[in-house]
């Protein structure tokens, strides 16, 4: 494994850091409220960062999403790239890619996802028609299309204009909404296994976003504790503060390295389902600890809902439950590991066994010990 970014991936990371750092300031975020930043989204698209995801792969996207998480920038970057560009690149037909990808690269068409699939949530009711309801879809109010999994885990692309979208407010400013489908026309995307691949990609990407959220929260906590004095010395000289910050740093690094590994394996064409679950579990469990620590280390300021660290806390808590909470992810990971082991045992059992007398024939065909055995060694 080599997680060293390529030259293109490192360039995407630097560009993302510059754009998010310049435009996603505390003042702009406060003014935006619960809405998305249209100017920031336009800047990302004009700079070619959205279109570059096809070239830099999932690892490149994870690196860029870390930079978004540091500033909690309010744009549908992760959802659009995962459910739109990467999903169609991997599972769309040649005709779908030719027709849809140009507008996706330019950001003129914005895609989000109604993930994960829920039993009885959405069902196929006719030839290319879907009916059902998804109570919460992040970034729905910004989207023109939604990638919707049905009850049997088939993937469908639906135009928001052909459905009913109602605003839903959450503690995180994701421009979320409720999606209601009533015999809505839909376009099939991919076949068997497409849902599992897109879900694993989404979990990896949002784990990378959580790594950035945690890094931003920790950076603010470090700045506060090193500049704020108590009893004539910085708060950071208190051993309890140091240990809390150190634990948060280790948790953040665990989220980062597991998301890197899952993304790298996908880009290399290797199995990565269990690795994506591992990254998502760390993002859920460790991410919660880190944003709580960041708020706690700010003392009384951490309780101020207008303080920048509070936004990291809200994002961390939302990402904790997004695409599965820690307990459910751990159960799913255990089932996946058991299934892999059973498949390995079945594969070994199905291999042909040597026929009777094969070992004797092999021994007869071996050279004598004097020619290549112990005597030969001594010689």
């Amino acid at each position: 494994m080599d997680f060293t970014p390529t030259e293109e991936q490192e360039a995407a990371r630097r560009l993302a850091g510059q754009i998010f750092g310049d435009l996603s300031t505390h003042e702009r975020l406060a003014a935006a409220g619960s809405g998305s930043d249209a100017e920031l989204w336009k800047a990302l698209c004009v700079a070619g960062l959205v279109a570059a995801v096809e070239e830099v792969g999932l690892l490149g996207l994870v690196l860029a999403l870390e930079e978004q998480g540091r500033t909690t920038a309010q744009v549908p970057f992760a959802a659009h790239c995962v459910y739109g560009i990467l999903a169609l690149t991997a599972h769309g037909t040649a005709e779908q890619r030719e027709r849809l990808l140009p507008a996706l690269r330019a950001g003129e068409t914005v895609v989000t996802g109604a993930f994960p699939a829920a039993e009885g949530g959405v069902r196929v009711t006719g030839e290319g028609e879907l009916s059902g309801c998804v109570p919460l879809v992040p970034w729905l109010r910004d989207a023109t299309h939604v990638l919707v999994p049905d009850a049997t885990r088939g993937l469908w692309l639906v135009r928001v204009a052909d459905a009913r979208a109602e605003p839903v407010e959450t503690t995180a400013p994701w421009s979320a909404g409720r999606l209601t489908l009533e015999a809505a026309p839909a376009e099939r995307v991919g076949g068997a296994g497409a849902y599992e691949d897109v879900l694993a990609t989404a979990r990896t990407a949002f784990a990378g976003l959580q790594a950035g959220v945690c890094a931003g929260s920790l950076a603010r906590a470090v700045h506060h504790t090193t500049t704020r004095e108590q009893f004539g010395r910085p708060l950071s000289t208190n051993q309890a503060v140091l240990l809390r910050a150190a634990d948060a740093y280790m948790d953040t690094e665990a989220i980062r390295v597991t998301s890197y590994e899952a993304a790298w394996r996908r880009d290399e064409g290797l199995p990565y389902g269990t690795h994506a679950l591992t990254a998502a579990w760390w993002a859920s469990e460790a991410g919660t600890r880190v944003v709580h620590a960041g708020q706690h280390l700010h003392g009384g300021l951490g309780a101020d809902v207008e303080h920048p660290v509070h936004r990291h806390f809200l994002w961390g808590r939302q990402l904790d439950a997004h695409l599965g909470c820690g307990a459910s992810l751990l159960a799913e990971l255990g089932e996946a590991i058991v299934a892999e082991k059973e498949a390995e045992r079945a594969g070994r059992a199905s291999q042909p066994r040597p026929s009777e007398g094969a070992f004797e024939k092999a021994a007869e065909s071996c050279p004598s010990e004097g020619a290549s055995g112990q005597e030969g060694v001594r010689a």
Side-chain angles (χ1 to χ4, degrees):
M1 294 180 292
D2 184 5
F3 303 152
T4 304
T6 63
E7 187 175 338
E8 293 77 11
Q9 290 169 340
E10 187 60 40
R13 186 221 294 262
R14 289 196 303 268
L15 181 59
Q18 180 181 346
I19 295 174
F20 288 127
D22 290 345
L23 296 181
S24 186
T25 62
H26 174 59
E27 293 72 23
R28 287 176 60 89
L29 288 168
S34 62
S36 298
D37 191 330
E39 182 180 346
L40 176 56
W41 178 248
K42 181 179 179 180
L44 292 172
C45 296
V46 170
L49 197 57
V50 174
V53 171
E54 290 178 81
E55 298 180 10
V56 300
L58 183 55
L59 180 55
L61 175 60
V62 165
L63 294 171
L65 287 173
E66 274 194 77
E67 302 303 323
Q68 178 186 359
R70 291 178 195 275
T71 60
T72 59
Q74 294 175 197
V75 286
F77 187 33
H80 177 75
C81 291
V82 169
Y83 302 123
I85 293 178
L86 292 180
L88 284 171
T89 300
H91 303 289
T93 64
E95 186 277 330
Q96 286 175 325
R97 292 194 297 270
E98 183 179 357
R99 172 167 49 89
L100 298 171
L101 282 177
L104 290 174
R105 297 181 188 118
E108 298 167 358
T109 296
V110 180
V111 181
T112 188
F115 277 64
E119 292 185 9
V122 175
R123 60 193 183 281
V124 180
T125 54
E127 186 69 27
E129 292 183 349
L130 299 179
S131 294
C133 178
V134 184
L136 181 67
V137 180
W139 307 112
L140 181 61
R141 284 177 276 168
D142 296 316
T144 59
H145 293 71
V146 187
L147 190 65
V148 181
D150 62 31
T152 62
R153 299 191 171 186
L155 290 183
W156 303 83
L157 191 64
V158 178
R159 293 197 317 149
V160 176
D162 294 328
R164 186 168 75 249
E166 304 167 87
V168 173
E169 294 296 334
T170 68
T171 55
W174 285 357
S175 299
R178 180 192 307 273
L179 181 69
T180 304
L181 305 168
E182 298 174 354
E187 181 177 359
R188 186 64 186 261
V189 177
Y195 169 80
E196 288 75 14
D197 177 63
V198 173
L199 179 59
T201 301
R203 282 171 167 164
T204 304
F206 281 102
L209 181 62
Q210 181 76 302
V213 170
C214 292
S217 175
L218 182 58
R220 292 188 181 280
V222 169
H223 175 75
H224 174 76
T225 56
T226 55
T227 56
R228 184 70 174 262
E229 292 190 357
Q230 189 178 54
F231 306 117
R233 62 177 186 175
L235 290 172
S236 59
T237 59
N238 185 300
Q239 188 178 35
V241 172
L242 288 172
L243 292 175
R244 191 76 186 277
D247 286 342
Y249 173 79
M250 294 303 296
D251 276 337
T252 302
E253 288 301 298
I255 302 170
R256 176 180 288 118
V257 72
T258 51
S259 62
Y260 282 7
E261 181 180 12
W264 175 81
R265 290 182 66 88
R266 181 191 186 275
D267 292 342
E268 293 295 316
L270 300 171
Y272 74 107
T274 55
H275 301 79
L277 282 166
T278 302
W281 181 84
W282 275 105
S284 176
E285 293 288 309
T288 302
R289 292 195 295 265
V290 173
V291 296
H292 273 267
Q295 193 174 41
H296 188 198
L297 290 175
H298 276 76
L301 288 176
D304 183 0
V305 296
E306 296 183 357
H307 194 279
V309 76
H310 186 67
R311 188 176 293 106
H312 288 273
F313 173 78
L314 294 180
W315 274 70
R317 292 297 306 185
Q318 285 285 341
L319 288 169
D320 160 37
H322 189 51
L323 301 181
C325 64
S328 63
L329 290 168
L330 196 59
E332 189 177 344
L333 176 59
E335 292 172 358
I337 292 174
V338 169
E340 285 186 357
K341 296 300 182 183
E342 290 179 348
E344 289 178 5
R345 286 195 293 268
R348 288 195 297 267
S350 64
Q351 292 178 356
R353 295 177 179 273
S355 59
E356 187 176 353
F359 290 110
E360 289 78 1
K361 292 180 181 179
E364 291 175 0
S365 63
C366 289
S368 64
E369 183 177 321
S372 59
Q374 295 300 322
E375 294 183 8
V377 172
R378 286 196 296 271

